Amino acid sequence: MTVWDNMGEFFDGLARDFRGWEGERVWGHNNLVVTATFGSGGHVHLNWTLRSGFLPGDWHGTVTTVIEAGEGMKAVAGGLREFLREE
């Protein structure tokens, strides 16, 4: 078991639901949190937040990536599985 367990499943689920969903979907482990929302035009908005800790005053940074919900998300999920060696 690694810190990345279930991350591949999270992204596979986003790829399967290419028609969209309501609200946010969240995957996180310790200092990394990925929040996914389905946006207009068939795109998934992924907010990647990295934080130094959980106390007031600790730093954090967020980057947003926008990916096409169909084939684009499927490619990201496959690439992630390859990177994590979960093939």
Side-chain angles (χ1 to χ4, degrees), residues 55-84:
L55 300 174
D58 287 344
W59 63 265
H60 72 277
T62 301
V63 173
T64 302
T65 55
V66 180
I67 301 167
E68 186 266 327
E71 291 301 313
M73 200 69 227
K74 190 185 292 187
V76 169
L80 180 65
R81 281 209 178 272
E82 184 178 330
F83 177 75
L84 296 175

Side-chain angles (χ1 to χ4, degrees), residues 23-64:
E24 294 182 337
R25 293 185 178 178
V26 179
W27 176 91
H29 186 79
N30 292 332
N31 299 61
L32 175 64
V33 176
V34 181
T35 305
T37 55
F38 193 83
S40 63
H43 291 86
V44 177
H45 297 252
L46 298 171
N47 293 318
W48 304 78
T49 300
L50 186 62
R51 49 183 99 202
S52 64
F54 299 96
L55 300 174
D58 287 344
W59 63 265
H60 72 277
T62 301
V63 173
T64 302

